[in-house]
């Protein structure tokens, strides 16, 4: 899913990256290593008032000898190195990539910027730290690919070194990184011009308004504030009162002389489609808004363009879709839909000869996206790569022969890979987690099933390592999205799937399937919750029939939409015998009163809901967990962010007053997804203990957990 969706109070959040290079022999790159590392390692860990710290010590990817495998632990999962951006050089000789890693001891993160040759047998070289993580509003770590200069000799990337984000440059010849931009406020994104002489950068602009004036007086409540905003009330008020005022500006940086100025109207138009396109040959701002255009790419010969739309109108499509369309840059003729009936196109780009389009086609069934190629003159699309691995974050060299990409599968976290298009061969360039070769992980088996309405669901089943044939294991269901990618901790990464399995559980990573609510139709809202419950019931029955699980010992977990499924499942079915949720999914009446006027008019009306005490009262009774708490028998654990726990208070209070087994832990400085390493490790461990206690009658003997 490209977004997380919880209960009516949760708005959509657009939610998703060791071989020594031969030129190490050059004195220049050796000099770079000597210059960069002392500067980075002598710096202190940055510890903000809230949230994780940043450790400027560059990440290392060690050489690990092969040993006998041992069981996986929560700390193993916490300290996995993750990819957060990959880009191949235009000449196809190198790949630059960013790695991040949690540091439990200091509750911080380290990063690293690496380059590796695309030749087989090459090893990565560290260019030093990649700076603090790029956190999104909901605490997701946003991947940002390094950008290469057109001559493949320089790398550009955003770093936060003086309190604001600026663009820095690394030269492969051996110089220390240099700050390039000096904008007054943070650079949010940037692009290089095709000739490599300029940077177009989107610069943050402070919200309009007098902060001191607001701080010194009472603020009249006008119905616009909502719960859960992870910013101060002053920032929230300034943001809202800015209305339609832009909070960013486009600036140009001249790489030849270092000058910076605001972009002209012509430059604004040229850079408006997320990449540089010739001025006047794309869409106006009005067309982009009216047609829901979300990206434009001009062919190398500048005669054609391919663009993507979001189709969300039920009159136009029965389900959300993101088709690709082809159109002449001259403006003549109607656009041609290149991908009719395709659920989602993840990435797309032109072949160098302008005769073909490459795109990653995703069917929404959890399977890996298929890389396709299509001749724009007509004909059927053809699949390019034949692999069962989950590939993403493609970047192509200028020849159109090589692709760099992110490669993973259910038991292998993301690796840096390269694909040869003429041969279709995909090979790993860098394994950023060599330690995993000595850790025992359980294999995953995809299971498909349907409920009584023939709604299709699927998930990956992970059994304990060395599981015994004929033995039935307690089952933990993680929700709400599943794919062919690495099974780590479910949505939100709080439920350590492999550690659950190592503790004697079967785990089903459940996908709720493709669903689109009918706007304003309450019965559709009920079905959005009820249908997955029936899907889980069908899954438990199927796994029990296969002899894998004990249907009398089933647990459920979830964040956001998954949390909504947890609350509904324990209050409307007797399927679950223990439960854990992470917040952000409440469907209790209290969330209505915590919402803004706009949420009442928009978000709640989408689900066919009105005020709980009015004619909608019976509707709330049908979906609320707290209003049906008398039927809850499942012990419930909630690990909530301090920005979201208030949404769970009606349920918590009801269960506590009813003497039901319930616990809630509140985590300070957290948002929708919890990103502090110490918090995440503690949640991993507590979740294992919770299910061990309630599903296996096993209590941890550690005195600290008494």
């Amino acid at each position: 899913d490209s977004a997380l969706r919880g209960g009516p109070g949760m708005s959509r959040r657009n939610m998703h990256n060791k071989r020594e290079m031969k030129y190490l022999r050059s004195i220049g790159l050796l000099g770079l290593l000597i210059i960069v590392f002392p500067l980075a390692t002598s710096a202190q860990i940055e510890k903000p008032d809230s949230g994780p710290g940043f450790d400027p010590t560059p990440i290392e990817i060690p050489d690990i000898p092969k040993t006998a495998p041992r069981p996986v632990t929560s700390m193993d999962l916490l300290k996995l190195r993750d990819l957060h951006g990959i880009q191949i050089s235009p000449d196809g000789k190198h790949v630059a990539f960013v790695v991040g890693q949690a540091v439990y001891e200091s509750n911080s993160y380290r990063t690293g910027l690496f380059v590796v040759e695309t030749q087989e047998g090459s090893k990565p070289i560290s260019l030093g730290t990649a700076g603090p993580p790029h956190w999104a509003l909901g605490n997701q770590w946003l991947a940002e690919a390094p950008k290469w200069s057109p001559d493949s000799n320089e790398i550009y990337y955003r770093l936060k070194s003086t309190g604001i984000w600026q663009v820095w440059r690394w030269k492969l010849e051996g110089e220390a990184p240099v700050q390039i931009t000096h904008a007054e406020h943070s650079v949010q994104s940037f692009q290089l011009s095709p000739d490599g002489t300029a940077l177009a950068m989107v610069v943050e602009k402070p919200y309009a308004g007098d902060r001191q004036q607001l701080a010194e007086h009472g603020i009249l409540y006008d119905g616009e504030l909502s719960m859960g905003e992870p910013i101060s009330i002053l920032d929230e008020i300034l943001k809202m009162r800015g209305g339609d005022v832009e909070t960013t500006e486009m600036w140009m940086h001249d790489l030849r002389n270092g000058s910076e100025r605001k972009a002209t109207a012509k430059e604004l138009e040229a850079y408006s489609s997320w990449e540089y396109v010739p001025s006047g040959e794309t869409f106006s701002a009005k067309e982009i808004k009216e047609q829901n255009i979300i990206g434009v790419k001009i062919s190398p010969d500048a005669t054609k363009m391919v663009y993507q739309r979001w189709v969300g109108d039920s009159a136009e499509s029965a389900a959300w879709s993101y088709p690709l369309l082809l159109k002449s840059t001259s403006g003549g003729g109607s656009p041609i839909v290149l991908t009719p009936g395709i659920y989602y196109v993840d990435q797309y780009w032109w072949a160098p000869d302008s005769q073909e389009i490459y795109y990653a086609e995703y069917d929404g069934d959890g399977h890996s996206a298929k890389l396709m190629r299509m001749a724009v003159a007509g004909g059927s699309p053809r699949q390019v790569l034949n692999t069962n691995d989950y590939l993403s974050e493609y970047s192509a060299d200028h020849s159109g022969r090589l692709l760099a990409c992110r490669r993973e599968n259910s038991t292998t976290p993301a690796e840096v890979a390269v694909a040869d298009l003429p041969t279709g061969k995909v090979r790993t360039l860098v394994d950023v987690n060599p330690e995993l070769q000595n850790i025992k992980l359980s294999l995953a088996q995809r299971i498909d099933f349907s409920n009584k309405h023939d709604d299709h669901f699927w998930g990956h089943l992970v059994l304990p390592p060395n599981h015994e044939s004929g033995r039935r294991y307690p089952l933990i269901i993680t929700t709400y999205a599943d794919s062919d990618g690495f099974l780590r901790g479910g949505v939100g990464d709080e439920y350590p799937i492999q550690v659950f399995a190592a503790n004697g559980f079967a785990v089903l990573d459940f996908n709720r399937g493709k669903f689109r609510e009918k706007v304003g139709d309450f019965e559709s809202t009920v079905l959005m919750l009820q249908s997955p419950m029936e899907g889980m019931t069908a899954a438990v029955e199927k796994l029990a029939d296969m002899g894998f699980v004990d249907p009398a010992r089933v647990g459920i977990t979830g964040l956001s939409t998954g949390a909504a499924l947890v609350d509904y499942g324990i209050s409307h079915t007797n399927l679950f015998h223990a439960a854990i949720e992470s917040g952000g999914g409440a469907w209790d009446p209290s969330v209505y009163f915590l919402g803004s006027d706009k949420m009442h008019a928009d978000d709640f009306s989408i689900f066919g809901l009105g005020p709980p005490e009015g004619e909608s009262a019976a509707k709330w009774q049908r979906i609320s967990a707290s209003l049906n708490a008398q039927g809850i028998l499942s012990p419930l654990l909630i690990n909530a962010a301090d920005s979201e726990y208030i949404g769970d208070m009606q349920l918590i209070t009801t269960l506590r007053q009813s003497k039901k087994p319930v616990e809630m832990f509140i985590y300070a400085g957290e948002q929708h997804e919890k990103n502090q390493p110490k918090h995440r490790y503690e949640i991993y461990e507590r979740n294992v203990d919770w299910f061990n206690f309630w599903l296996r009658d096993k209590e941890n003997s550690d005195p600290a957990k008494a």
Side-chain angles (χ1 to χ4, degrees):
D1 286 349
S2 59
L4 295 177
R5 178 151 220 178
M10 177 55 59
S11 61
R12 288 185 178 88
R13 305 174 190 267
N14 291 330
M15 328 194 323
H16 120 294
N17 251 270
K18 41 185 192 174
R19 297 178 172 85
E20 183 173 0
M21 290 193 294
K22 294 180 179 177
Y23 67 72
L24 175 60
R25 292 190 292 266
S26 70
I27 296 177
L29 192 50
L30 286 172
L32 174 63
L33 298 177
I34 293 170
I35 292 170
V36 173
F37 280 118
L39 291 175
T41 55
S42 64
Q44 298 298 310
I45 295 175
E46 174 190 329
K47 292 186 176 180
D49 293 335
S50 64
F54 169 63
D55 182 347
T57 306
I59 280 179
E60 297 180 358
I61 304 175
D63 288 324
I64 302 294
K66 180 73 173 176
T67 63
R70 59 168 177 79
V72 65
T73 68
S74 295
M75 191 62 73
D76 293 326
L77 293 185
L78 181 76
K79 291 191 172 184
L80 284 176
R81 298 177 192 87
D82 296 309
L83 291 175
H84 296 287
I86 303 171
Q87 191 75 29
I88 196 169
S89 60
D91 62 11
K93 294 181 179 179
H94 302 97
V95 174
F97 59 97
V98 176
V99 181
Q101 185 178 31
V103 183
Y104 173 81
E105 294 76 13
S106 57
N107 199 32
S108 64
Y109 286 89
R110 291 176 183 162
T111 61
L113 176 62
F114 294 83
V115 289
V116 62
E117 279 191 336
T118 53
Q119 293 183 3
E120 290 194 55
S122 300
K123 290 188 176 182
I125 295 300
S126 171
L127 300 185
T129 179
H134 300 174
W135 297 117
L137 184 62
N139 267 359
Q140 298 96 341
W141 189 330
L142 292 180
E144 183 170 321
K147 292 180 170 62
W148 288 90
S149 60
D151 62 7
S152 300
N153 291 325
E154 298 170 339
I155 296 171
Y156 294 84
Y157 193 71
R158 287 191 310 135
L159 293 183
K160 187 178 183 181
S161 58
T162 56
I164 61 176
W165 294 94
Q166 302 285 359
V167 180
W168 286 62
R169 179 181 64 202
W170 288 255
K171 287 179 177 267
L172 295 184
E173 291 85 18
E175 299 178 12
V178 175
Q179 182 178 333
I180 297 299
T181 63
H182 296 84
E184 182 179 1
H185 303 289
S186 286
V187 177
Q188 293 187 341
S189 63
F190 70 97
Q191 304 168 41
L192 271 80
S193 62
D195 61 5
T197 62
L199 294 178
M201 50 187 182
V202 176
V203 179
E204 192 177 76
K205 186 170 72 172
Y207 296 117
D210 189 333
R211 174 180 291 271
Q212 183 175 350
Q213 177 74 10
L214 282 174
E216 292 177 349
H217 300 278
I219 302 170
L220 175 66
Y221 175 70
D222 57 6
E224 293 189 352
L225 291 171
S226 294
M227 69 165 182
E229 283 290 341
I231 57 178
S232 72
I233 190 170
L234 292 181
D235 286 329
E236 190 173 356
I237 293 291
L238 287 169
K239 177 182 177 182
M240 290 186 302
R241 292 187 178 178
D244 294 329
V245 176
E246 291 289 337
T247 56
T248 59
E249 297 176 317
M250 178 78 78
W251 282 66
M252 301 299 296
H253 176 100
D254 193 318
L255 291 169
R256 295 165 294 191
N257 57 30
S259 64
E260 294 179 350
R261 57 173 174 78
K262 286 188 178 181
T264 65
K266 185 176 181 180
E267 289 166 338
L268 282 171
E269 183 181 0
Y271 286 93
S272 65
S273 298
W274 300 355
E275 64 170 28
Y276 182 84
V277 296
S279 178
E281 295 180 353
T282 183
F283 297 93
S284 67
K286 180 181 179 182
E287 289 174 318
I288 290 173
K289 182 177 181 180
E290 290 178 348
Q291 299 181 40
N292 292 317
I293 295 170
I294 54 177
V296 180
K297 295 184 186 294
I298 302 294
S299 61
D301 64 10
T303 64
K304 300 174 285 293
M305 60 179 165
V306 64
Y307 63 98
Q308 190 172 22
R309 290 184 60 216
W310 170 57
V311 179
D313 187 346
S314 58
E316 188 174 352
S317 172
W320 288 340
S321 62
Y322 302 81
L324 284 183
L325 296 95
L326 177 71
K327 189 176 181 181
S328 169
T329 54
S330 65
S334 300
I336 299 172
V337 179
L338 297 176
T339 57
I342 300 302
Y343 176 68
Y344 185 63
V345 173
D346 183 44
Q347 284 184 266
Y348 54 98
W349 63 92
W350 285 93
D353 62 5
S354 301
Q355 301 303 307
E356 289 184 315
I357 288 289
Y358 288 88
Y359 60 92
E361 171 185 311
Y362 176 58
D363 293 330
D365 60 359
H367 287 300
S368 303
K370 295 177 288 188
L371 183 60
M372 311 295 290
R373 65 194 299 178
M374 176 187 292
V376 295
S380 300
R382 293 167 290 158
Q383 187 168 347
V384 179
L385 305 175
N386 188 14
T387 176
N388 292 324
D389 288 332
Y390 197 97
L391 307 182
S392 59
E393 297 182 35
Y394 296 104
S395 63
D397 70 356
H398 278 179
S399 73
R401 185 181 70 86
L402 289 181
L403 295 179
C405 63
R406 174 190 178 107
R407 179 188 199 181
E408 60 186 298
N409 57 45
S410 60
T411 54
T412 304
E415 302 173 333
V416 181
V418 66
D420 187 294
L421 292 180
T423 65
K425 180 182 178 182
V426 182
R427 54 184 169 86
T428 296
L429 277 179
V430 184
D431 174 6
V432 299
N433 290 289
E435 296 90 342
L436 281 189
Q437 66 179 321
N438 299 323
I439 295 175
K440 187 182 299 182
L441 297 179
S442 297
L443 297 178
Q445 174 185 356
R446 175 169 167 135
I447 305 290
D448 288 79
F449 38 87
S450 299
N451 64 14
K452 62 185 181 182
H453 303 294
D454 289 329
D455 296 330
H456 176 230
F457 303 92
W458 66 88
H460 278 83
L461 176 67
V462 180
L463 295 174
N466 303 320
H467 61 276
E468 301 172 16
S469 178
R471 180 178 175 183
R472 296 178 180 271
Y473 295 91
L475 174 67
I476 298 172
I477 299 177
T478 56
T479 60
Y480 59 95
D482 174 75
S483 71
D484 289 338
F486 181 63
L487 297 175
R488 183 172 181 172
V491 173
D493 192 16
E494 294 189 21
Y495 304 101
I497 293 173
Q498 290 287 346
V499 180
F500 284 151
N503 275 266
F505 295 96
V507 186
L508 178 66
D509 193 45
F510 175 85
N511 192 295
R512 69 168 186 152
K514 290 188 282 187
F515 185 85
R516 175 179 175 174
E517 67 272 11
K518 297 178 182 177
V519 175
D521 181 3
F522 177 70
E523 294 304 321
S524 172
T525 300
V526 175
L527 191 62
M528 182 175 65
L529 298 167
Q530 182 63 29
S531 180
M533 285 301 110
E534 294 171 356
M536 291 184 206
T537 300
V540 172
E541 291 174 353
K542 181 171 183 175
L543 295 176
D545 290 342
M546 296 171 71
F548 291 143
V549 307
D550 179 357
R553 294 183 294 164
V554 179
I556 184 174
T557 72
L559 165 74
S560 194
T561 291
L565 294 176
V566 170
D567 292 349
Y568 185 85
I570 63 175
S571 58
H572 289 73
T573 77
N574 59 2
L575 181 64
F576 307 107
H577 308 92
I580 309 175
E581 62 122 304
S582 308
W587 284 88
D588 288 324
S590 60
V591 299
Y592 183 89
F593 300 107
L594 295 169
S596 64
D597 291 348
K598 188 176 188 306
M599 287 177 61
H600 297 153
D602 295 342
D603 290 8
F604 287 100
S605 64
I606 287 175
F607 300 110
L609 288 167
E613 75 279 9
E615 60 184 32
S616 284
K619 295 179 179 179
W620 287 96
Q621 179 69 48
R622 288 180 61 188
I623 60 174
S624 165
S626 64
L627 298 182
N628 292 278
Q630 70 280 359
I632 295 179
L633 301 177
S634 306
L636 175 63
L637 168 65
I638 300 177
N639 298 301
D642 59 351
S643 61
E644 293 187 340
Y645 82 93
I646 194 170
D648 289 307
M649 285 303 296
Q650 183 174 356
L651 178 59
I652 282 288
T653 302
T654 303
L655 293 175
R656 284 171 58 86
Q657 291 181 348
S658 301
K659 308 300 182 184
K660 302 278 188 176
V662 61
E663 290 183 1
M664 179 166 71
F665 288 80
I666 302 172
Y667 286 89
E670 294 288 10
Q671 298 175 27
H672 194 51
E673 293 192 12
K674 303 169 191 69
N675 64 356
Q676 296 186 44
K678 287 195 173 183
H679 288 172
R680 182 157 293 178
Y681 177 75
E682 181 176 290
I683 291 170
Y684 273 171
E685 289 287 279
R686 180 182 299 117
N687 290 348
V688 172
D689 291 342
W690 186 263
F691 284 130
N692 266 331
F693 183 82
W694 292 107
L695 297 182
R696 299 182 67 224
D697 197 25
K698 181 178 179 182
E699 188 169 0
N700 194 301
S701 60
D702 184 348
K705 297 181 177 182

